[in-house]
Amino acid sequence: MAEQTGTAKLTVGDKEIDLPMYSPTLGPDVIDITKLYAQGGVFTYDPGYTSTASCDSTITFIDGNKGELLHRGYPIDQLAEKSHYLEVCYLLLYGNLPSAAELEEFERTITRHTMIHEQMHMFFRGFRRDAHPMATMVGVVGAMSAFYHDSTDISDPRQREVASHRLIAKMPTIAAMAYKYSIGQPFIYPKNSLDYASNFLHMCFSVPAEDYEVNPILARAMDRIFTLHADHEQNASTSTVRLASSSGANPFACIAAGIACLWGPAHGGANQACLEMLKEIGSVDRIPEFIARAKDKNDPFRLMGFGHRVYKNTDPRATVLKQSADEVLELLGIEDNPLLQVAKELEQTALNDPYFIEKKLFPNVDFYSGIILEAMGFPTSMFTPIFALSRTVGWISQWKEQLSDPAHKIGRPRQLYMGETNRDYTDVEER
């Protein structure tokens, strides 16, 4: 915990309470209210926890007004441009960028953990073929605790380490298997000769009947999607993982809880919602109609993939991913894909429209990731599983950090109770 830098005075009735204040290395000061109930007999009320710091962390910092995202102090645009996903994973997990030898050893460890227990294949066959891949992932990841007993003791640092590596390594395999199962194709085993992103594309798109060669441009775009979604501070799914972890739950259960939370359309489904909006627009000649609707305050229609709830300026991740989107579309073409034609025209219209410029409604990371995944051939049902695969390292890093904090305790939010009071039970005959 940071050193106390000041005091906030709060008057509750006839009591005056001194509350400690702390200053972070970045961001606003915080007021420590842990003793507020004991000293003042009151709770704070903060639906959505939008003004509440639930923990102290050294992993990720966001300044939405500046359009800034830092991982361990490194700007996300630098990491996405100069680094790659597994190096960023190491950074998030351990706090510093690895040396060449450390990175080589880390990549070797992750690569050797990519296969899943063979008996777990049976879990997939228990799901209906039309099950959403996220439903499959929640079940399979939660079931990992039934197979990997040697990495569920959260009090053992070595077991925490092994669980971290296993989850990062096996999540692409599980996501790819969920996809293959949903389209009725055989599972493809991972290949140790491929890098992380290429291996995922191989497991998704190769078939036993013919060879599949991963295009390096597509692999680079996939790696950037992973990198740009690796962590995003204390969002809903990360907070869910931390809350589940606070009870002492095993790591696989905690990550399954994070996947379940991410499944919600208000969180991980944004790029899927963006593609569904493009389908609703349908053709380039209808764009002016939908632009006009987006500007109409009385129309419920909203342009998905433009602007961001956190970033009040440009989304720093979008700038980098736009480059990959342009490269992918140039490689694959959009002539035969009306959806991508609408996306490119809509992007140009919004970037040059004074209304969108004034409101800072720029294309965000969900817009570009949706375009890339659509161009690669992924169905929209796979967009959120890919998000979950990317975010696993962030969840694991936050989980490890929380368990290493000597001050951590089980989460127990309070409430503003507005229900009935002191009702007397009556028998059925008297009601």
Side-chain angles (χ1 to χ4, degrees):
M1 189 70 178
E3 292 185 11
Q4 184 174 338
T5 55
T7 302
K9 292 188 178 295
L10 176 67
T11 301
V12 181
D14 58 356
K15 295 180 182 178
E16 189 172 82
I17 303 170
D18 290 333
L19 299 172
M21 293 186 67
Y22 301 98
S23 296
T25 53
L26 290 170
D29 290 352
V30 299
I31 300 172
D32 184 350
I33 60 168
T34 53
K35 296 183 179 179
L36 179 60
Y37 179 60
Q39 296 178 357
V42 295
F43 299 144
T44 57
Y45 183 61
D46 184 21
Y49 312 114
T50 55
S51 297
T52 299
S54 62
C55 63
D56 61 273
S57 180
T58 62
I59 299 172
T60 299
F61 173 76
I62 297 170
D63 188 327
N65 292 323
K66 292 182 180 178
E68 186 176 68
L69 170 61
L70 307 177
H71 289 328
R72 303 289 191 179
Y74 292 96
I76 188 62
D77 54 335
Q78 290 185 23
L79 293 173
E81 189 68 37
K82 300 177 180 180
S83 183
H84 62 278
Y85 182 66
L86 283 186
E87 186 175 47
V88 172
C89 287
Y90 188 100
L91 172 67
L92 291 172
L93 284 170
Y94 302 113
N96 293 294
L97 289 171
S99 66
E102 288 170 334
L103 180 58
E104 183 180 358
E105 176 60 27
F106 181 69
E107 290 178 333
R108 182 186 303 113
T109 299
I110 297 302
T111 300
R112 291 177 60 199
H113 275 299
T114 51
M115 290 180 63
I116 67 170
H117 194 290
E118 192 70 10
Q119 196 173 340
M120 291 186 72
H121 289 211
M122 302 301 295
F123 273 80
F124 288 89
R125 293 181 171 85
F127 290 96
R128 286 171 51 116
R129 290 280 180 179
D130 58 357
H132 195 288
M134 283 294 276
T136 306
M137 288 186 70
V138 169
V140 174
V141 172
M144 288 176 71
S145 59
F147 289 85
Y148 302 106
H149 304 294
D150 60 341
S151 54
T152 56
D153 182 357
I154 63 173
S155 65
D156 183 344
R158 176 56 186 162
Q159 291 203 29
R160 295 202 298 264
E161 188 86 343
V162 172
S164 302
H165 294 161
R166 279 178 170 155
L167 280 159
I168 294 168
K170 298 180 192 306
M171 200 64 74
T173 308
I174 292 171
M177 290 175 71
Y179 171 58
K180 284 295 196 183
Y181 186 76
S182 71
I183 60 175
Q185 289 187 3
F187 299 141
I188 302 297
Y189 286 91
K191 290 182 69 173
N192 289 356
S193 60
L194 297 175
D195 63 71
Y196 194 86
S198 297
N199 197 22
F200 176 66
L201 292 174
H202 166 261
M203 288 188 290
C204 286
F205 294 121
S206 65
V207 293
E210 60 186 45
D211 293 331
Y212 175 80
E213 192 168 323
V214 181
N215 186 289
I217 292 177
L218 300 186
R220 177 60 175 154
M222 193 81 258
D223 188 87
R224 277 185 171 171
I225 288 177
F226 292 162
T227 299
L228 294 169
H229 289 86
D231 194 52
H232 210 237
E233 213 197 77
Q234 305 306 317
N235 51 75
S237 59
T238 299
S239 298
T240 298
V241 171
R242 279 183 171 264
L243 191 59
S245 171
S246 74
S247 73
N250 71 74
F252 306 110
C254 294
I255 300 308
I259 295 171
C261 181
L262 188 72
W263 193 359
H267 188 6
N271 51 8
Q272 180 173 342
C274 176
L275 262 291
E276 290 170 352
M277 175 200 70
L278 295 177
K279 291 177 183 177
E280 182 182 358
I281 295 174
S283 60
V284 170
D285 59 357
R286 296 191 66 195
I287 289 177
E289 170 195 342
F290 283 86
I291 290 288
R293 290 182 60 188
K295 296 177 182 179
D296 185 354
K297 293 181 179 180
N298 298 317
D299 193 314
F301 174 78
R302 293 292 179 267
L303 279 181
M304 303 301 295
F306 291 81
H308 196 281
R309 187 177 64 84
V310 173
Y311 300 106
K312 307 308 177 187
N313 207 310
T314 55
D315 182 342
R317 302 166 298 172
T319 306
V320 179
L321 206 54
K322 172 178 167 51
Q323 178 185 344
S324 284
D326 291 339
E327 292 172 355
V328 169
L329 294 186
E330 182 179 353
L331 173 70
L332 301 178
I334 62 173
E335 295 79 8
D336 299 326
N337 192 323
L339 208 63
L340 296 178
Q341 292 176 19
V342 171
K344 288 300 293 181
E345 184 64 28
L346 183 60
E347 174 198 30
Q348 292 306 311
T349 301
L351 288 174
N352 294 287
D353 190 298
Y355 174 85
F356 289 93
I357 295 173
E358 178 187 351
K359 300 288 186 181
K360 300 186 185 301
L361 296 176
F362 304 110
N364 60 32
V365 70
D366 299 310
F367 180 80
Y368 291 117
S369 64
I371 289 176
I372 291 172
L373 295 176
E374 165 71 20
M376 286 182 176
F378 284 105
T380 54
S381 62
M382 274 299 292
F383 288 8
T384 317
I386 290 171
F387 193 163
L389 144 61
S390 310
R391 184 57 55 84
T392 296
V393 67
W395 291 332
I396 284 292
S397 301
Q398 301 273 349
W399 170 78
K400 286 183 65 181
E401 180 180 67
Q402 182 181 28
L403 291 178
S404 299
D405 182 359
H408 98 272
K409 58 180 69 176
I410 187 170
R412 181 60 173 87
R414 308 310 290 259
Q415 65 178 11
L416 173 63
Y417 178 71
M418 299 298 291
E420 300 286 350
T421 63
N422 297 322
R423 302 174 79 177
D424 291 325
Y425 178 85
T426 57
D427 291 333
V428 174
E429 290 79 6
E430 299 177 16
R431 292 178 209 162

